[in-house]
Amino acid sequence: MVVLSQQAALNQFFLIKSCKPTTTQIPEVNLSDPEAKTLIVKACQEFGFFKLLNHGVPMEFMTNLENEALRFFKKTQSEKDRTGPPDPFGYGSKRIGFNGDVGWVEYLLLTTNPDIISSNSQFIFQQNPQNFRYAVEGYLGAVKRMCYEVLELMADGLGIKQRNVFSRLLKDEKSDSCFRLNHYPPCPEVQALNIGNLVGFGEHTDPQIISVLRSNTTSGLQICLRDGSWVSVPPDPTSFFINVGDTLQVMTNGKFKSVRHRVLADTTKSRLSMIYFGGPPLSEKIAPLASLMSKEEESLYKEFTWWEYKKAAYNSRLSDNRLHPFEKSSG
């Protein structure tokens, strides 16, 4: 009866079979490599994803924030719940968004814009030692600088004269970027029941321009290849992983593809990931860049503002093809 009740409790979450081991090599880019711009473009075209080495972000910034985040997630549930629900910023658990998606995850969602501090975000910092705020700000400052460099190398690699064409959108004082700390607790019950892998965060693409992820030593992240197969990404807490987002796919007129990805929860170890989502200002008009299109090439997408796309994305399910309604019909 105990086993049945455990399985019933887990049935609300998605369970999937383990992926077969793969020999696919995840693209790696050394930021100091003279060929970095070419390698970044190649990875974004073929995978929409790459691992970034020699990135210049001090390791102490990563470990400081990891320690502070784990200290928060180790609090009692009632203490954590006082900083939620996310509106959209704050603490959330199990429920992802407002459309029925669930996952074996708890998280903190914070804005990176100092002019938009929600009451929940304020409460999180008030209820935690000051060094939590310092850890977040120190980490984000370094990650943003690295992200701008990546985006400018990306523009160079694409042959765009205006090398800040992407980075300026994140540097803008009204940039609608955010930061997420995801904690995936271990779930030994799944191993005992031998019923597959528990989905921590369901398959999706990120709607923003770019996502910068760093995780601890626990595996779980998987990306979907062009042929539809799933590949596990080996963890590396000393490096970052860069995702192409939907908005960047549109701006490159489909030359770059936003990567579909998911996270599976581990049965014995907790996973902690930190993701910076670089987004443009809400009023920014998003359309394929004319400088990337040949004279006879047509735009694959309708023009929209980031606010219009963000609203549509938040009203969808995680696994939906969010760009589909914004594609121009082939007819």
Side-chain angles (χ1 to χ4, degrees):
M1 289 296 291
V2 174
V3 171
L4 287 174
S5 63
Q6 287 177 336
Q7 185 158 355
L10 293 171
N11 276 345
Q12 63 175 306
F13 301 101
F14 289 110
L15 293 154
I16 60 175
K17 293 180 179 178
S18 300
C19 289
K20 293 180 180 179
T22 178
T23 56
T24 301
Q25 183 67 41
I26 301 297
E28 294 185 357
V29 178
N30 186 321
L31 200 51
S32 62
D33 187 334
E35 295 299 312
K37 64 182 182 181
T38 304
L39 294 172
I40 287 172
V41 168
K42 187 172 186 288
C44 291
Q45 289 173 332
E46 296 179 1
F47 287 80
F49 181 89
F50 60 92
K51 178 178 176 177
L52 189 68
L53 311 172
N54 200 25
H55 44 71
V57 177
M59 191 67 199
E60 64 184 280
F61 284 11
M62 301 186 226
T63 53
N64 284 349
L65 182 53
E66 181 177 329
N67 291 336
E68 290 302 321
L70 287 174
R71 189 172 288 122
F72 172 84
F73 288 120
K74 285 178 182 175
K75 289 175 178 285
T76 64
Q77 193 60 50
S78 61
E79 285 181 293
K80 290 184 288 190
D81 286 340
R82 290 175 67 194
T83 58
D87 61 348
F89 304 111
Y91 172 79
S93 178
K94 304 294 191 294
R95 296 183 182 279
I96 301 170
F98 305 99
N99 302 299
D101 289 300
V102 294
W104 194 257
V105 63
E106 58 178 343
Y107 61 90
L108 277 176
L109 188 60
L110 305 169
T111 178
T112 64
N113 189 331
D115 295 331
I116 312 171
I117 298 293
S118 72
S119 57
N120 281 349
S121 297
Q122 289 276 28
F123 192 69
I124 291 165
F125 289 131
Q126 288 169 3
Q127 294 300 307
N128 292 274
Q130 191 67 24
N131 52 343
F132 180 71
R133 183 168 204 151
Y134 289 150
V136 170
E137 291 175 350
Y139 175 86
L140 278 178
V143 166
K144 284 180 180 180
R145 287 190 293 273
M146 176 263 288
C147 188
Y148 302 154
E149 184 177 355
V150 168
L151 288 171
E152 286 166 10
L153 283 170
M154 194 181 285
D156 286 342
L158 286 167
I160 301 173
K161 290 182 180 179
Q162 186 187 352
R163 72 188 308 260
N164 72 338
V165 66
F166 303 123
S167 63
R168 69 176 181 84
L169 300 175
L170 275 58
K171 289 180 178 179
D172 192 294
E173 63 180 11
K174 293 183 179 179
S175 166
D176 184 44
S177 299
C178 60
F179 181 56
R180 188 178 183 112
L181 290 161
N182 283 338
H183 179 238
Y184 303 91
C187 189
E189 295 87 351
V190 171
Q191 186 177 38
L193 294 167
N194 193 25
I195 51 177
N197 289 85
L198 201 59
V199 174
F201 213 106
E203 63 175 273
H204 64 287
T205 57
D206 295 334
Q208 291 87 355
I209 294 172
I210 194 171
S211 308
V212 181
L213 174 134
R214 185 264 177 188
S215 70
N216 65 357
T217 57
T218 304
S219 62
L221 176 64
Q222 297 182 338
I223 62 170
C224 187
L225 303 181
R226 297 289 179 258
D227 64 4
S229 62
W230 288 91
V231 175
S232 293
V233 179
D236 181 354
T238 67
S239 302
F240 288 93
F241 294 94
I242 310 294
N243 287 12
V244 170
D246 295 341
T247 301
L248 187 56
Q249 177 171 321
V250 172
M251 293 180 76
T252 60
N253 204 35
K255 293 177 177 63
F256 290 178
K257 300 290 186 185
S258 55
V259 64
R260 187 162 286 269
H261 55 289
R262 67 188 181 194
V263 176
L264 304 186
D266 195 275
T267 54
T268 59
K269 297 179 291 184
S270 69
R271 173 181 167 87
L272 182 79
S273 58
M274 328 168 175
I275 314 103
Y276 166 66
F277 297 98
L282 291 171
S283 60
E284 184 72 26
K285 291 181 179 178
I286 306 299
L289 297 172
S291 57
L292 287 180
M293 296 168 64
S294 59
K295 288 183 179 179
E296 64 276 6
E297 187 178 350
E298 292 187 6
S299 168
L300 300 177
Y301 304 95
K302 307 167 188 173
E303 184 179 89
F304 53 84
T305 64
W306 166 238
W307 165 244
E308 288 170 333
Y309 188 62
K310 180 181 178 180
K311 185 178 179 182
Y314 277 74
N315 284 332
S316 66
R317 297 294 298 268
L318 270 181
S319 61
D320 288 348
N321 179 352
R322 295 162 167 169
L323 274 177
H324 181 68
F326 297 89
E327 294 172 355
K328 289 188 175 178
S329 62
S330 55

